[in-house]
């Protein structure tokens, strides 16, 4: 059984549930800190899953062998268990999984938050290689990446803005977990096909993002024929950063304007 955190209830104002999809090294907890309660309080049913091998979701094979196909199966399973197709909201790697999901599933809408672009993770990997060549070499051999994202210094560099309070960086860095090395390969090879996606998309980015560049956010928006919205002074983990309320409020406003 996958870990699913489920808050709120759909009502007349917001009849469609929201399904939140986490990124690499994270789990459903990252949505439960702020976003699930925020949207539940505004009359939505807000649901977050942990992919197998993440959070409290078990896996039938070693984490390092899990693939995007496994994560996509998890997303399909949770979405299929809801009474109506949900709005899917994906962050970072989870945004790439959401894009793959939308190729073959109808959804009333989707939100991509600091998402990996349709072009995949190649540029992100190259930036990591240039910035920390020794880290990249060691993780390429061991298949273990957690030590290179989970110290307070490295977590801030990738996930948080320079102004995020140290106490928050340390708290959330301690909750990060190992990620599948195979999923990193799939991020280079299993690329979305935007031409197959019919759902309206909201594309969000962060000006101080250490993982996804503004140009990659713009590339995502272009692929889905929309314009991106950027939040100044915020890092990659916009759902955990100070100022997260502005991000949530923008999503709420966009959903309401679209009758959701």
């Amino acid at each position: 059984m996958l870990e699913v955190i489920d808050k709120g209830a759909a009502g007349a104002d917001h009849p469609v549930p929201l399904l939140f999809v986490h990124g690499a090294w994270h789990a459903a907890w990252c949505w439960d800190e702020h976003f699930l309660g925020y949207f539940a309080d505004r009359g939505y049913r807000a649901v977050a899953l942990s992919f197998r091998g993440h959070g409290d979701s078990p896996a039938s094979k070693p984490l390092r062998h899990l693939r995007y196909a496994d994560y996509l199966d998890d997303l399909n399973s949770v979405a299929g268990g809801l009474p109506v197709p949900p709005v899917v909201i994906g962050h970072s790697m989870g945004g790439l999984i959401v894009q793959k999901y939308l190729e073959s599933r109808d959804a009333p809408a989707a939100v991509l938050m600091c998402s990996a672009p349709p072009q995949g993770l190649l540029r992100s990997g190259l930036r990591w290689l240039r910035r920390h060549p020794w880290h990249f070499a060691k993780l390429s051999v061991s298949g273990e990446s957690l030590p290179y994202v989970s110290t307070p210094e490295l977590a801030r560099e990738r996930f948080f803005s320079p102004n995020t309070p140290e106490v928050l960086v340390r708290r959330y860095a301690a909750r990060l977990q190992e990620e599948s090395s195979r999923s990193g390969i799939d991020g280079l090879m299993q690329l979305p096909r935007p031409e197959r996606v019919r759902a309206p998309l909201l594309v969000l980015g962060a000006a101080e993002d250490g993982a996804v560049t503004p140009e990659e956010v713009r590339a995502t928006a272009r692929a889905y024929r929309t314009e991106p919205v950027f939040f100044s002074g915020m890092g990659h983990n916009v759902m955990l950063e100070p100022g997260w309320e502005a991000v949530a409020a923008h999503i709420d406003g966009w959903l309401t304007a679209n009758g959701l």
Side-chain angles (χ1 to χ4, degrees):
M1 293 291 292
L2 294 172
E3 177 185 29
V4 176
I5 304 176
D6 191 340
K7 292 187 174 181
D13 290 339
H14 301 295
V16 178
L18 311 181
L19 178 52
F20 292 86
V21 184
H22 67 82
W25 303 291
H26 290 67
W29 65 264
C30 70
W31 303 111
D32 196 28
E33 284 288 287
H34 302 299
F35 268 43
L36 297 188
Y38 177 94
F39 284 98
D41 288 345
R42 280 153 183 78
Y44 296 88
R45 182 180 179 186
V47 180
L49 81 154
S50 292
F51 291 132
R52 65 188 72 180
H54 296 71
D56 289 329
S57 291
S60 60
K61 56 185 176 182
L63 175 68
R64 68 172 54 203
H65 297 312
L66 294 177
R67 307 191 60 169
Y68 274 13
D70 297 310
Y71 299 162
L72 188 57
D73 284 347
D74 295 340
L75 176 52
N76 279 316
S77 175
V78 175
L82 296 172
V84 296
V87 172
V88 281
I89 301 172
H91 175 253
S92 195
M93 180 194 75
L96 208 55
I97 303 301
V98 165
Q99 292 173 64
K100 294 294 293 180
Y101 169 87
L102 294 171
E103 289 179 9
S104 58
R105 295 289 187 276
D106 287 327
V111 181
L112 301 179
M113 297 172 54
C114 301
S115 173
Q119 295 82 6
L121 301 179
L122 177 59
R123 291 185 177 180
S124 176
L126 291 174
R127 287 195 299 274
W128 198 346
L129 175 61
R130 288 193 297 269
R131 189 178 300 163
H132 298 293
W134 185 232
H135 290 178
F136 194 86
K138 288 191 286 187
L139 71 87
S140 297
V141 172
S142 69
E144 297 178 353
S145 57
L146 181 63
Y148 312 113
V149 299
S150 61
T151 68
E153 296 76 17
L154 293 171
R156 182 183 292 278
E157 179 182 293
R158 176 170 285 269
F159 299 120
F160 298 99
S161 74
N163 297 321
T164 304
E166 183 70 10
V167 64
L168 293 183
V169 175
R170 289 183 176 275
R171 179 193 305 169
Y172 297 135
R175 300 199 69 175
L176 300 176
Q177 66 168 94
E178 190 58 76
E179 185 52 70
S180 164
S181 55
R182 177 68 216 195
S183 72
I185 298 173
D186 284 353
L188 303 174
M189 307 295 293
Q190 302 296 319
L191 302 182
R193 299 179 180 179
E195 69 276 8
R196 295 187 175 184
V197 175
R198 295 179 295 276
L201 264 70
L202 174 63
V203 176
L204 305 179
E208 302 289 340
D209 195 330
V212 178
T213 67
E215 180 49 42
E216 286 170 329
V217 174
R218 294 186 187 100
T220 299
R222 284 196 301 270
Y224 295 104
R225 302 167 298 282
T226 189
E227 293 293 327
V229 176
F230 287 93
F231 292 88
S232 62
M234 299 191 75
H236 186 65
N237 277 6
V238 290
M239 66 288 202
L240 297 172
E241 286 266 279
W244 64 266
E245 298 98 329
V247 182
H250 189 88
I251 295 171
D252 180 23
W254 184 79
L255 293 172
T256 300
N258 282 275
L260 299 167

